[in-house]
Amino acid sequence: MIDTLAGRPARPGRAGVAPTAVPAPARDPRRAFAGAALVLLALGVSACSSEVAGRADAATAPAPATSAPRTPAAEPTASAPSTAPTLAEAAEGLRPFLLVPAEIGPGFTQGEEPKPDPQAPAFCGGPGVVAQFPAAVRVGAGFTGPTEGMFVQQTVSVYGDAATAQAAFLANEQGLACSQGEASGSPVVITPAEDLAVDVPADESTGWQIGGQGFDLILIAVRSGELVVNFAFVAPEGRSADLPDPLAISRAGVEKLAG
């Protein structure tokens, strides 16, 4: 296990730091896609992007249309096609704003995209965030490191509103609020949550260090409005110092999404 996040002194807890909101620019295309996703979620469209279930993209079921009764003399009228993207299309619209290997560090290459598993429990037990909050646009990117056992992942979730995103963020914190947990059937040790609002400015930013048999893991979770962005940095046990700077990468990833 490493002693402090990115080898720097630990910062005071959440009560000691005032989080700073990240402003979103007007007419930004990534916000347009996210905004369309929020509209679909608010309307209760019963479809999720493929990332929720880890399957092929699912088409969004159209909402039932209401129309005025037709009189015998009425002429048929063609309905205007919807210009709002489906949740899967909204997810695709966010992909260009994910990090790329060159932004992670030398020697990193594009890896497999992480696919959230609703069956996967939280580290401290109980259902994970995907199971608790399935209605979200979810995308991600994976990066394979220059040495075996080293990789980085970024995942993005867009929820129906900021309050739901805040609740999902809290659920993630609660799923890590133990000193000893379990991952894939093996025990892990978890350090207390560390407030990172100064290092990764957003509405909420929190980091954890997790040690398991043969690996070290740094997790950073960030919320900006209705967006929740998670970063995972994995290295062979005792080699976390070889990872690229988790704070700098997380900050860059959030800034790229927020504009």
Side-chain angles (χ1 to χ4, degrees):
M1 285 290 295
I2 55 179
D3 296 328
T4 56
L5 192 61
R8 59 164 179 75
R11 295 190 180 273
R14 186 178 302 279
V17 179
T20 303
V22 175
R27 304 174 68 100
D28 191 295
R30 75 206 83 180
R31 287 297 185 186
F33 276 102
L38 299 183
V39 171
L40 291 171
L41 288 169
L43 292 174
V45 177
S46 58
C48 298
S49 70
S50 63
E51 289 72 17
V52 172
R55 295 179 287 104
D57 287 348
T60 301
T66 57
S67 58
R70 182 187 301 196
T71 63
E75 294 293 331
T77 302
S79 57
S82 174
T83 58
T86 65
L87 296 187
E89 289 170 340
E92 289 301 319
L94 290 173
R95 291 187 192 281
F97 304 100
L98 297 176
L99 294 173
V100 297
E103 295 170 310
I104 303 298
F108 277 86
T109 58
Q110 197 75 42
E112 293 186 6
E113 178 179 345
K115 299 290 186 179
D117 181 4
Q119 303 302 319
F123 278 98
C124 296
V129 174
V130 176
Q132 294 183 63
F133 298 87
V137 178
R138 287 185 165 93
V139 294
F143 310 94
T144 302
T147 60
E148 185 176 358
M150 181 179 295
F151 61 92
V152 174
Q153 290 183 343
Q154 176 191 20
T155 60
V156 179
S157 299
V158 184
Y159 294 95
D161 50 60
T164 303
Q166 186 175 29
F169 190 89
L170 177 60
N172 182 58
E173 288 188 329
Q174 293 172 337
L176 289 161
C178 61
S179 59
Q180 295 185 348
E182 188 175 287
S184 301
S186 299
V188 295
V189 177
I190 306 172
T191 64
E194 184 178 351
D195 192 297
L196 301 177
V198 172
D199 302 282
V200 188
D203 293 326
E204 300 179 87
S205 300
T206 307
W208 298 263
Q209 298 167 65
I210 300 173
Q213 186 174 1
F215 71 91
D216 285 339
L217 166 63
I218 295 174
L219 291 178
I220 296 179
V222 183
R223 184 183 70 82
S224 178
E226 71 282 358
L227 296 171
V228 175
V229 191
N230 291 287
F231 301 89
F233 303 84
V234 181
E237 187 173 4
R239 297 188 57 185
S240 56
D242 296 336
L243 285 166
D245 187 346
L247 297 174
I249 291 173
S250 299
R251 184 166 54 248
V254 173
E255 290 174 351
K256 189 173 183 179
L257 282 162

